Amino acid sequence: MKEQYDVVVVGSGLGGLVSAIILAKEGYSVCVLEKNNQFGGNLQTFVRDKTIFDTGIHYIGGLSEGQNLYKYFKYLGIMDDLKLKKMDEDGFDIISFEDTNEEFPHAQGYENFINKLVQYFPEERQAIENYCERVQNICNSFPLYNLEWDGKYDIEILSLNAKKCIDEITNNEKLKQVLAGSNFLYAGIEDKSPFYVHALSVNSYIQSSWRCINGGSQITKLLIKQLKRFGGEIYKYKEVTSFQSKENAITSVKMKDGTQVKANIFISNIEPKITLKMVGEDKFRKSFLNRIESLEGVYSAFSLYIVFKPNSFKYINHNFYHFKNSFEVWKAHEYDENSWPKAYMASMNASGKNEEWAEGMTFITYMHYDELKPWENTFNTTANMNHRGETYDDFKTRKAEKFLQEIAIKFPGIKDCIKSVHTSTPLSYRDYIGGSKGNMYGYIKDSNDPMKSFIAPKTKLDNLYLTGQSINMHGVLGVTIGAVVTCSEIVGKEYLVNKISKSSL
């Protein structure tokens, strides 16, 4: 590591890596610093019993030729080398309800999406068409979502509530639940979640849905390869503890191992609350600090990772969003000890070896951080291993058994196929991904106060920028666009967006 670079990026999540590549391609000398053993943030994978599991990227949308993420990935130089499996075109997501024993598909392609749902709701064609039109219109109003540099967001669009918008489309209660059924994608809250978050989350999956063969960490590897191709450097086990500043600019970052590195520009890919503390809260306006501190993280999750015995459980080429009750799609996070889990998402990796049989399966449900209070002062990562204690292990075992009982109702016989079971809690998300209280998708966006969670990528300090899922939108597409927004502040939006557009032609 050199003493000084043009750009230092703190954190190697997707936002940090994309920002680093963009600037390296523009001729900047770039260095990325990562505290953990593995690069990639939410792109990380891990292996249990020789089976690969994703931590955050279970499927990706918008990767067919000409679609938005395809264009961004083409510019980044990784599109052609991705190993992908297209999900079931007639139902990439299945919304299912335990109380009525019903399943409803979300299909790929808007015409197909409409036709498949009309089979279940023959009287509701117009409503389903109106829903699709509204989703697409909302997405079209976000310039960078469509690789357009010119245009402004409409504050009225940001104020539309997701549940209200869906409720206005139809009087059919079941259809309302089905259209909102994948709201786990953004941890939907009925009186807060904006419709634009819903639209931006589901639109690219309806366009096209894909699984990463052998996990999403391949995206990290390909991004790092491109970063190095353009002269960028990346280091792990380099935990930044503070930003040093002089007058109104950052001069260097100090690391836990005592080393420091200087730069002309600094980009933080770690959560804004943590970044502000590391910079020094006296460097920011009190009103800004108070607003950031008042932001709530979205809900966290408890995940169950099942390794199957060989050739025992068939591969499923779609996800399930499964609910105990068909009228509680917006209330899955409102649980107590007895009602947990009210809902879950079920997904599996696509393997490069066997298309008939599954190697493993992931089940994710909501979990409140408060349940982990007894162990919140413990920290455990591969880079810094610590045992949280037997009581924590007992907690995880108890939760896993209860979760598995629910899963077995939807998937009879699954217990007989299990080789081993592994778990993660909000503390795992906190320690490995870096989110406050283990939140899955950054800060809550509220349709009642849409500007409260708006955080500009350019800070008050002359050379400090922010990126990552808390700054723009979460998800692979949202974070990629967010990195473009961050870098636009440095190299110019019109110039950068035009360059990205041309590279995909």
Side-chain angles (χ1 to χ4, degrees):
M1 190 186 294
K2 297 194 284 280
E3 287 185 15
Q4 179 150 1
Y5 296 85
D6 294 330
V7 182
V8 163
V9 179
V10 181
S12 72
L14 179 62
L17 290 175
V18 173
S19 299
I21 292 172
I22 291 171
L23 297 177
K25 287 181 76 166
E26 292 300 317
Y28 293 81
S29 62
V30 181
C31 174
V32 181
L33 305 172
E34 170 57 50
K35 73 171 184 177
N36 279 323
N37 170 59
Q38 195 177 153
F39 301 117
N42 266 315
L43 296 171
Q44 292 177 65
T45 56
F46 61 94
V47 176
R48 296 290 183 270
D49 271 337
K50 300 179 182 177
T51 301
I52 298 170
F53 292 98
D54 279 296
T55 55
I57 307 303
H58 300 98
Y59 61 143
I60 312 177
L63 281 181
S64 287
E65 189 168 351
Q67 293 173 356
N68 48 15
L69 190 57
Y70 174 93
K71 292 178 180 178
Y72 281 110
F73 276 8
K74 197 78 173 171
Y75 162 78
L76 293 168
I78 69 171
M79 188 62 229
D80 295 342
D81 293 319
L82 283 175
K83 293 179 174 59
L84 302 166
K85 181 178 178 64
K86 196 167 195 186
M87 298 176 71
D88 190 338
E89 294 196 3
D90 291 335
F92 62 92
D93 281 343
I94 302 296
I95 314 302
S96 59
F97 304 109
E98 199 168 291
D99 57 342
T100 58
N101 196 27
E102 293 175 294
E103 294 184 349
F104 302 90
H106 286 185
Q108 295 184 51
Y110 274 98
E111 188 178 343
N112 195 28
F113 182 94
I114 293 164
N115 290 336
K116 291 298 174 206
L117 278 184
V118 166
Q119 293 178 19
Y120 297 85
F121 302 98
E123 308 297 319
E124 296 290 327
R125 175 177 285 276
Q126 189 61 56
I128 297 166
E129 288 177 352
N130 291 345
Y131 165 79
C132 291
E133 183 180 356
R134 194 160 195 186
V135 165
Q136 292 173 91
N137 286 342
I138 291 288
C139 292
N140 289 336
S141 67
F142 287 81
L144 280 177
Y145 190 82
N146 303 288
L147 264 91
E148 296 167 359
W149 68 269
D150 194 20
K152 292 183 178 178
Y153 304 137
D154 184 346
I155 189 70
E156 290 184 14
I157 284 175
L158 304 183
S159 302
L160 295 173
N161 175 270
K163 184 177 185 298
K164 284 182 181 175
C165 284
I166 292 171
D167 286 353
E168 288 167 4
I169 286 166
T170 177
N171 291 321
N172 187 303
E173 292 299 326
K174 183 61 64 68
L175 179 58
K176 291 176 187 178
Q177 305 296 313
V178 171
L179 294 176
S182 59
N183 68 23
F184 194 83
L185 284 168
Y186 51 92
I189 304 172
E190 62 181 325
D191 58 343
K192 290 184 178 180
S193 293
F195 188 66
Y196 82 87
V197 172
H198 173 89
L200 294 175
S201 297
V202 303
N203 177 67
S204 60
Y205 291 116
I206 295 174
Q207 288 180 337
S208 66
S209 293
W210 309 80
R211 281 182 175 154
C212 290
I213 295 172
N214 294 328
S217 61
Q218 61 171 297
I219 297 173
T220 307
K221 291 168 187 167
L222 292 171
L223 288 172
I224 291 172
K225 186 178 177 182
Q226 289 298 310
L227 175 62
K228 290 179 177 178
R229 180 185 164 206
F230 292 101
E233 299 172 19
I234 185 165
Y235 299 93
K236 59 185 174 182
Y237 300 121
K238 288 291 180 182
E239 181 175 354
V240 171
T241 54
S242 65
F243 291 77
Q244 307 299 301
S245 62
K246 188 176 182 181
E247 295 173 348
N248 199 49
I250 304 296
T251 55
S252 64
V253 290
K254 279 191 174 180
M255 285 161 272
K256 195 174 183 179
D257 61 9
T259 58
Q260 66 175 11
V261 60
K262 299 175 183 176
N264 300 322
I265 295 169
F266 294 85
I267 297 176
S268 176
N269 186 39
I270 52 181
E271 190 168 301
K273 286 184 184 181
I274 299 169
T275 301
L276 299 187
K277 286 184 172 66
M278 290 166 68
V279 171
E281 294 182 341
D282 58 315
K283 303 292 188 299
F284 302 94
R285 288 188 300 273
K286 195 73 178 170
S287 58
F288 176 72
L289 280 170
N290 290 340
R291 180 166 67 86
I292 299 301
E293 196 54 42
S294 70
L295 293 173
E296 292 179 78
V298 303
Y299 301 111
S300 192
F302 181 86
S303 298
L304 205 61
Y305 308 98
I306 292 176
V307 178
F308 291 122
K309 297 171 186 172
N311 302 342
S312 65
F313 197 90
K314 293 274 189 178
Y315 172 77
I316 302 169
N317 202 28
H318 53 253
N319 304 314
F320 284 94
Y321 289 92
H322 184 67
F323 298 85
K324 275 188 188 178
N325 297 303
S326 54
F327 50 86
E328 286 202 320
V329 164
W330 291 100
K331 297 183 182 297
H333 53 83
E334 299 174 5
Y335 65 82
D336 57 25
E337 183 71 25
N338 294 324
S339 62
W340 183 90
K342 284 187 171 183
Y344 57 81
M345 183 238 193
S347 184
M348 51 176 55
N349 270 353
S351 167
K353 302 175 197 168
N354 192 329
E355 293 205 359
E356 184 180 0
W357 300 100
E359 294 179 349
M361 196 165 183
T362 301
F363 296 86
I364 312 170
T365 189
Y366 290 114
M367 179 170 278
H368 300 149
Y369 184 78
D370 286 351
E371 291 199 61
L372 284 303
K373 279 282 187 186
W375 309 281
E376 70 172 339
N377 293 322
T378 64
F379 295 87
N380 181 36
T381 65
T382 306
N384 186 17
M385 296 191 79
N386 290 288
H387 188 238
R388 300 192 204 272
E390 288 182 14
T391 54
Y392 178 71
D393 293 336
D394 292 343
F395 170 83
K396 290 201 299 179
T397 300
R398 176 168 56 83
K399 290 292 184 179
E401 287 173 356
K402 188 164 191 205
F403 197 178
L404 199 51
Q405 286 174 4
E406 285 300 323
I407 290 165
I409 297 171
K410 175 64 182 168
F411 300 95
I414 193 171
K415 288 185 177 181
D416 297 330
C417 305
I418 293 175
K419 180 181 179 184
S420 60
V421 174
H422 311 272
T423 59
S424 67
T425 73
L427 294 181
S428 315
Y429 285 89
R430 181 199 68 183
D431 293 357
Y432 279 93
I433 311 302
S436 170
K437 296 186 176 180
N439 73 71
M440 291 188 285
Y441 309 127
Y443 302 134
I444 291 174
K445 293 176 172 61
D446 189 347
S447 57
N448 305 296
D449 189 1
M451 298 312 292
K452 182 181 179 181
S453 58
F454 173 78
I455 305 172
K458 172 76 176 73
T459 70
K460 179 178 170 288
L461 291 161
D462 295 338
N463 61 345
L464 176 64
Y465 299 82
L466 307 173
T467 196
Q469 66 175 6
S470 299
I471 308 306
N472 199 276
M473 271 283 289
H474 63 280
V476 174
L477 178 58
V479 171
T480 300
I481 293 173
V484 171
V485 173
T486 299
C487 293
S488 295
E489 296 283 345
I490 299 167
V491 302
K493 185 185 284 186
E494 182 179 0
Y495 165 79
L496 181 55
V497 174
N498 286 340
K499 201 166 185 180
I500 294 169
S501 297
K502 286 176 185 174
S503 71
S504 65
L505 295 176

